[in-house]
Amino acid sequence: KIESILSNNTKIIRKSFDGRWKKSGQPKFVYTVDIQLSNNVVKQLKLRHIDGKTELLNNQPVVQPSPIKSNDKSVIIVGAGPSGLFAAIELTNLGYKPIIIERGQPVEIRGRDIGALFNRKILNPESNLCYGEGGAGTWSDGKLTTRIGKNSDEVRQVLHTLVNHGAPERILIDGKPHLGTDRLVRILKSIREYLISCGA
């Protein structure tokens, strides 16, 4: 009976690998799961809250601001790094048509400039590892890290946005999600096309 209750009401939120075999006896996967149970089932199973191991979910729906009507005021975003791009996405979702100012080149042109830097030692001061669409992390290893709570609604919203633009769905549950530079280029192009289609 417990198995049927859990199978119908359980959602995997995070999966990570714990390789500290000396402590636990063998390497293992650690799962973070959401389980939705009625108060009656909680009492029946004699479940209790354990600090650091369990937490109550906030079942209140996230209230999204209502889209605004066409606005004659422009919002200017300086930089097309992660913060600038996600600010632009949020603003377009609210009905704004932001203007993004970026010193460097679009990601595909930037790739050629970085190739010239690596292979021929030719530096383009306006388009390189620091400047251009996607920001400084575009040519990193593509790991997604945060210190504000891996399972928070805000972080999950960012991950869902990346999936909507071509990231693999496994980043939604992987303990150490990884995109890879090859995927980042496609994701950035998809985000740019989305923003342009929304009038940014």
Side-chain angles (χ1 to χ4, degrees), residues 65-103:
S66 300
I68 61 165
K69 293 182 179 178
S70 182
N71 195 321
D72 61 351
K73 294 183 180 177
S74 296
V75 177
I76 297 175
I77 297 172
V78 178
S83 296
L85 292 174
F86 277 91
I89 290 170
E90 287 298 306
L91 287 166
T92 57
N93 291 342
L94 293 171
Y96 287 93
K97 296 181 179 180
I99 299 168
I100 303 172
I101 299 172
E102 170 57 56
R103 174 176 175 174

Side-chain angles (χ1 to χ4, degrees), residues 112-125 127-128:
R112 292 195 291 271
D113 293 335
I114 290 171
L117 175 62
F118 285 165
N119 298 317
R120 298 192 300 277
K121 310 299 185 227
I122 299 171
L123 172 66
N124 179 341
S127 177
N128 49 57

Side-chain angles (χ1 to χ4, degrees), residues 13-69:
I13 299 298
R14 181 77 52 195
K15 174 185 174 184
S16 58
F17 182 73
D18 186 349
R20 298 173 294 178
W21 59 272
K22 289 184 179 180
K23 181 179 179 183
S24 61
Q26 63 182 5
K28 62 186 176 187
F29 285 103
V30 178
Y31 290 85
T32 300
V33 296
D34 283 352
I35 304 173
Q36 190 168 4
L37 303 171
S38 68
N39 288 334
N40 289 338
V41 171
V42 170
K43 289 176 184 174
Q44 179 185 349
L45 298 177
K46 299 179 181 176
L47 299 177
R48 60 191 175 84
H49 173 74
I50 302 172
D51 284 335
K53 297 285 184 182
T54 61
E55 59 184 87
L56 295 176
L57 289 176
N58 178 6
N59 287 326
Q60 299 297 321
V62 177
V63 178
Q64 295 291 344
S66 300
I68 61 165
K69 293 182 179 178

